[in-house]
């Protein structure tokens, strides 16, 4: 029996999610019983934390091995000499994985932490950035190159923005937009803390980021002229139904379904701002079909200039059936689906017996719900 029950949702929202996870294509492919089992596993896993804490090393200031050694010493101090394994992800060289140790039994003493997980409050703040695994995958998929001009259209709090700048070796220009001023200040603070100078953050509504007149740009500030950027990340506002641990969500169905139109407005702006031959990456931290695969199908139909691209690294699973995409197209997507694995007991003893490759597999599968699609804008012929 689990420590926590499955996530508590309004009935209308649970039925909406269930309809997506048990659509005709899914049931035809896997059978009704298996589709139901996967959906129940999803609801259960959403209320539990992922199997690993993920931290990204700021490679702009230090090597991964140096930070790994510092982190090992810090964790030993936190847990009185208890040795935690720290794994470097084989496909994401700047990502470190630390297992979350916690009970899955009946008894819970609420005056103590239920899960044994390190605190990262002021721990190596210039060297480490606490970030979910799929969120770190996104910037690698975008594949920013030194000297490019890149737009992070919905950037706060700046985790992906700073990752992009680090992958570019802080050479080029990273424009970060968010319409909430306090969040923009957080982006600037993170850039300063991590020693990154290529980031320029603006308080600006991404849906209005496209310049509609022919007036000359004002010192590179928004709005921007069409075809201004080499690469664009649209980590879109979403229903957040993939976040973990989340024991309850009181949102109405109207709130959950309100994001699709906004995402499409932002997507249309991003396509216009992207240079021919440029790369657009769309991502969300939700599991709904409407905000993920259905958006991809809409984008391919609405913008003939876009082509889906293979993603590297390919850490998550392929896209979910139900939006009318072909098998080849689904393989080009990445869906991180919490329903893929059953939660397991984890303690220090069991970790010592695990093979590294098995732990990496679990880290890749048992994470937050997330979605990534990568497009290229075809050049004019």
């Amino acid at each position: 029996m689990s420590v926590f029950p499955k996530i508590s949702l309004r009935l209308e929202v649970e039925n909406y999610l269930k309809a997506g996870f048990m659509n005709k294509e899914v049931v035809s492919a896997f059978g009704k019983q298996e589709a139901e089992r996967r959906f129940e596993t999803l609801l259960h896993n959403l209320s539990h934390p992922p199997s690993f804490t993920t931290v990204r090393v700021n490679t702009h200031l230090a090597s991964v091995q140096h930070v790994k050694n510092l982190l090992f010493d810090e964790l030993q101090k936190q847990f009185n000499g208890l040795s935690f394994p720290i794994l470097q992800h084989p496909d994401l060289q700047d990502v470190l994985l630390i297992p979350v140790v916690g009970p899955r039994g009946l008894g819970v003493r609420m005056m103590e932490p239920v899960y044994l997980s390190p605190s990262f409050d002021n721990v190596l703040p210039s060297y480490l950035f606490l970030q979910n695994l799929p969120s770190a995958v996104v910037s690698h998929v975008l594949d920013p190159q030194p000297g490019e001009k890149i737009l992070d259209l919905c950037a706060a709090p700046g985790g992906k923005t700073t990752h992009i700048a680090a992958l570019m070796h802080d050479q080029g220009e990273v424009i970060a937009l968010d319409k909430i001023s306090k969040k923009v200040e957080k982006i600037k603070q993170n850039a300063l803390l991590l020693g990154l100078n290529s980031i320029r953050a603006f308080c600006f509504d991404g849906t209005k980021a496209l310049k509609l007149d022919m007036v000359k740009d004002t010192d590179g500030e928004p709005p921007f002229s069409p075809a201004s950027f080499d690469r664009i990340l649209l980590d879109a506002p979403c229903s957040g139904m993939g976040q973990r641990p989340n024991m309850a969500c009181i949102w109405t169905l109207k709130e959950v379904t309100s994001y699709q139109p906004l995402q499409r407005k932002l997507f249309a702006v991003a396509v216009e701002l992207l240079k021919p031959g440029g790369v657009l990456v769309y991502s969300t931290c939700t599991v709904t079909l409407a905000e993920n695969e259905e958006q991809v199908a809409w984008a391919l139909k609405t913008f003939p200039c876009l082509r889906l691209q293979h993603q590297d690294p390919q850490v998550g699973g392929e896209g979910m059936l139900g939006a009318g995409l072909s098998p080849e197209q689904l393989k080009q997507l990445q869906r991180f689906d919490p329903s893929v694995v059953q939660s397991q007991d984890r303690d220090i003893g069991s970790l010592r017996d695990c093979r590294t490759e098995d732990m990496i597999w679990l880290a890749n599968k048992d994470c937050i719900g997330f979605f990534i699609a990568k497009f290229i804008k075809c050049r004019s012929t």
Side-chain angles (χ1 to χ4, degrees), residues 126-143:
S126 295
Y127 292 157
L128 290 177
F129 199 98
L130 192 62
Q131 197 166 21
N132 286 302
L133 178 66
S135 299
V137 173
V138 169
S139 300
H140 284 280
V141 168
L142 186 66
D143 193 26

Side-chain angles (χ1 to χ4, degrees), residues 41-242:
T41 301
L42 169 72
L43 298 184
H44 172 270
N45 285 355
L46 286 176
S47 68
H48 291 72
S51 292
F52 287 78
T53 297
T54 308
V55 291
R56 174 173 58 80
V57 176
N58 179 21
T59 53
H60 177 60
L61 294 183
S63 70
V64 175
Q65 187 59 52
H66 176 64
V67 176
K68 184 178 179 181
N69 293 338
L70 294 176
L71 182 57
F72 181 83
D73 294 340
E74 174 62 31
L75 294 186
Q76 284 207 313
K77 292 176 186 176
Q78 283 193 29
F79 296 107
N80 299 317
L82 188 63
S83 180
F84 268 81
I86 301 175
L87 307 178
Q88 182 177 5
H89 198 287
D91 299 312
L92 308 164
Q93 292 293 305
D94 52 359
V95 168
L96 299 176
L97 303 167
I98 305 153
V100 174
V101 177
R104 302 284 176 175
L106 295 173
V108 181
R109 291 184 64 194
M110 295 308 293
M111 68 283 292
E112 296 179 0
V114 176
Y115 288 94
L116 191 59
S117 180
S119 168
F120 284 90
D121 187 24
N122 292 320
V123 174
L124 307 175
S126 295
Y127 292 157
L128 290 177
F129 199 98
L130 192 62
Q131 197 166 21
N132 286 302
L133 178 66
S135 299
V137 173
V138 169
S139 300
H140 284 280
V141 168
L142 186 66
D143 193 26
Q145 299 299 311
E148 291 183 333
K149 185 175 182 179
I150 296 180
L151 175 63
D152 190 348
L153 195 54
C154 304
K160 299 177 185 67
T161 310
T162 55
H163 195 186
I164 291 167
L167 290 174
M168 295 168 63
H169 308 294
D170 207 27
Q171 298 172 22
E173 188 175 12
V174 183
I175 302 294
L177 303 185
D178 199 274
K179 63 180 182 180
I180 299 177
S181 58
K182 287 186 177 180
K183 291 184 176 182
V184 173
E185 288 305 311
K186 185 64 176 177
I187 297 171
K188 293 178 180 179
Q189 291 171 10
N190 282 329
L192 182 64
L193 181 65
L194 299 175
L196 297 164
N197 300 309
S198 59
I199 296 170
R200 300 180 69 199
F202 299 97
C203 183
F204 202 85
D205 184 346
T207 64
K208 301 175 182 178
L210 176 64
K211 185 184 291 293
L212 299 177
D213 53 46
M214 299 304 294
V215 178
K216 187 178 180 181
D217 288 347
T218 307
D219 195 28
E221 297 184 1
F224 303 103
S225 299
S228 291
F229 295 93
D230 298 291
R231 298 173 199 261
I232 297 177
L233 172 61
L234 173 52
D235 185 49
C238 69
S239 60
M241 298 297 292

Side-chain angles (χ1 to χ4, degrees), residues 7-18 21 39 42-47 236-253 255-259 263 284-292 335-339 367-371:
I7 185 173
S8 176
L9 302 170
R10 288 177 181 261
L11 182 59
E12 59 180 355
V13 173
E14 183 169 333
N15 288 339
Y16 169 74
L17 280 179
K18 188 172 185 178
F21 272 74
F39 180 66
L42 169 72
L43 298 184
H44 172 270
N45 285 355
L46 286 176
S47 68
C238 69
S239 60
M241 298 297 292
Q243 294 289 2
R244 300 172 61 191
N246 187 5
M247 295 185 65
C249 177
I250 61 172
W251 280 14
T252 64
L253 181 59
E255 289 172 310
V256 170
T257 58
S258 67
Y259 286 93
Q263 292 161 354
T284 72
C285 59
T286 195
V287 295
T288 70
L289 193 69
E291 297 172 84
N292 296 327
R335 174 179 273 264
F336 294 82
D337 184 353
S339 72
C367 53
I368 69 168
F370 207 88
F371 179 83

